[in-house]
Amino acid sequence: MSDTTHDGAVALSTPPSADDGLSAAEMATKYGLTVSGARPGLFEYVRQLWGRRHFIMAFSRAKLTAQYSQAKLGQLWQVATPLLNALVYYLIFGLILGTRKGMTQEVFIPFLVTGVFVFTFTQSSVMAGVRAISGNLGLVRALHFPRASLPISFSLQQLQQLLFSMIVLAVVAVAFGSYPGPSWLLIIPALVMQFLFNTGLAMIMARLGSKTPDLAQLMPFVMRTWMYASGVMFSIPVMLKDKPDWIANVLQYNPAAIYMDLIRFALIDGYGSENLPSHVWAVALAWAVLVGVLGFVYFWKAEERYGRG
C-alpha cells in the first residue's frame, strides 16, 4: 500500500502483520517450529533408539575390531588380557596369600577365572560409559541421533568381548572337571541380567562423565575397590566367617558378586547353592531392572545437553 504526502511524494507503508505482538516462543508454536536437539518424550525416545538398532550393532562391532587393531596378536588379546590377570591373581592370592580356603584346586581355578572374566565385563562397561559422550564429542555434535546409542553400544561391545572369553572359560572349566550340563544354560539369563545392569550403570556414568571428564581418572580406583570387595579372588562367606554377618551379607548382595556367583554356580560342579545368598535370582533381577531403568531415565533427562558447552 502507498500514501501520497503533501509535496506529491509517494511513501510506502507496511500493512499490519498477524505476527505483531507475538513472542518468539509463540511464533515458534504458531509455525510448528521446535528446538533443535530437544529431548523427545520417553516412549518416543525408545522408538528412536529401536530405529537406530543397526547403527548401535555396527558401531559396537567396529569399536571391538578397532580396539586391538594395532597389536600383532589382534583380537587374541580379548582373551589373553583377562587370562593373564587371572594368572597374576592366582599367583598372588591363590598361592602366596592362600585365599582358596574351603575350595579344592579343581574348584578354585575356574572360580577365579570366572570372577575375573565376569567382573571385567562390568568394569569395562563402566569405564567405557564414562567416556561415551566426552570421548565422542565430534560425533555427538555433528549428527543428530539418540545419545543413549553410545553407552548402549559400548556395553554391547563389552558383552561381545565377554562371549569370546566364555569360550576360554568353558575350556578351563572342563580342564578342571566341570563338564557341560543343563546348569550351563543358566549362564544365559545371568548374562542377560548383568548386561541390563551394566548398560544402566554405563548410562549413569556417561551423563556424569559428560560434565566431569576427570571422572575417568577417578573410576579405576573406585573399580579396583569394588573388585576387592566383590569376592573375585576369594569366597566371601569363608573369608569373613569370623566377622559380623552383616558385613558378609552386604558384600554378597552387591551386584558384581551376585552375577559372578550365579555364573560360577552354573558353570562349576563343585560350587553349590550353599555358596549363594538367599533369593539370589530375585536379587539379580531386581538389580538389573532397577539400575537399567533408572540409568536409562537418568540419561534421557539430560539428552538435549550432551555435546553443548
Side-chain angles (χ1 to χ4, degrees):
M1 302 297 292
S2 63
D3 294 321
T4 304
T5 63
H6 69 278
D7 58 358
V10 177
L12 298 177
S13 63
T14 303
S17 171
D19 295 336
D20 289 348
L22 295 180
S23 67
E26 291 169 337
M27 290 183 64
T29 301
K30 177 180 177 180
Y31 291 103
L33 302 179
T34 58
V35 178
S36 176
R39 183 187 72 201
L42 185 59
F43 293 106
E44 172 62 18
Y45 193 64
V46 173
R47 189 192 66 80
Q48 291 180 9
L49 273 174
W50 177 251
R52 302 299 195 282
R53 62 190 181 279
H54 302 298
F55 162 74
I56 294 172
M57 291 292 297
F59 190 73
S60 66
R61 286 195 298 267
K63 283 290 185 179
L64 185 63
T65 302
Q67 186 173 357
Y68 301 104
S69 60
Q70 302 300 317
K72 290 185 178 180
L73 295 180
Q75 293 189 343
L76 285 176
W77 284 109
Q78 295 178 24
V79 174
T81 300
L83 269 180
L84 290 174
N85 283 332
L87 176 60
V88 171
Y89 293 143
Y90 173 71
L91 293 175
I92 300 299
F93 292 94
L95 295 182
I96 298 177
L97 298 180
T99 60
R100 68 182 182 93
K101 295 176 182 177
M103 287 182 280
T104 64
Q105 191 83 340
E106 289 72 21
V107 172
F108 180 70
I109 291 180
F111 171 94
L112 178 61
V113 176
T114 302
V116 172
F117 278 33
V118 175
F119 186 82
T120 298
F121 178 30
T122 295
Q123 181 181 43
S124 300
S125 297
V126 170
M127 295 305 301
V130 173
R131 301 183 179 91
I133 301 297
S134 60
N136 294 276
L137 284 178
L139 183 62
V140 170
R141 290 170 176 169
L143 299 175
H144 178 67
F145 62 95
R147 308 315 189 197
S149 302
L150 294 175
I152 291 174
S153 67
F154 283 120
S155 295
L156 192 58
Q157 173 194 348
Q158 301 309 320
L159 176 61
Q160 294 175 70
Q161 183 160 331
L162 177 66
L163 293 179
F164 282 112
S165 301
M166 291 299 290
I167 299 173
V168 177
L169 183 55
V171 172
V172 171
V174 170
F176 286 90
S178 295
Y179 298 101
S183 66
W184 282 34
L185 295 176
L186 295 175
I187 293 174
I188 297 173
L191 286 183
V192 169
M193 289 187 289
Q194 188 184 9
F195 172 72
L196 292 175
F197 171 81
N198 289 355
T199 303
L201 195 55
M203 288 184 174
I204 293 172
M205 301 313 301
R207 176 173 172 177
L208 295 176
S210 69
K211 286 299 182 184
T212 313
D214 287 348
L215 194 61
Q217 309 305 319
L218 175 64
M219 287 312 297
F221 301 99
V222 175
M223 297 306 299
R224 194 173 303 127
T225 302
W226 193 9
M227 179 184 69
Y228 291 140
S230 298
V232 173
M233 294 83 62
F234 57 87
S235 170
I236 293 175
V238 172
M239 294 298 292
L240 298 181
K241 64 181 179 180
D242 297 328
K243 306 295 181 183
D245 290 342
W246 70 266
I247 299 178
N249 288 334
V250 168
L251 297 187
Q252 275 195 295
Y253 281 104
N254 99 71
I258 288 286
Y259 296 123
M260 279 190 292
D261 277 345
L262 283 179
I263 296 178
R264 285 164 171 163
F265 169 71
L267 189 68
I268 305 170
D269 288 345
Y271 196 76
S273 58
E274 68 278 2
N275 296 288
L276 305 179
S278 301
H279 312 295
V280 62
W281 285 100
V283 174
L285 180 60
W287 274 119
V289 173
L290 179 66
V291 176
V293 172
L294 289 183
F296 183 80
V297 173
Y298 179 72
F299 184 91
W300 162 75
K301 285 283 189 180
E303 174 73 12
E304 59 192 9
R305 298 201 294 271
Y306 298 129
R308 299 185 180 184

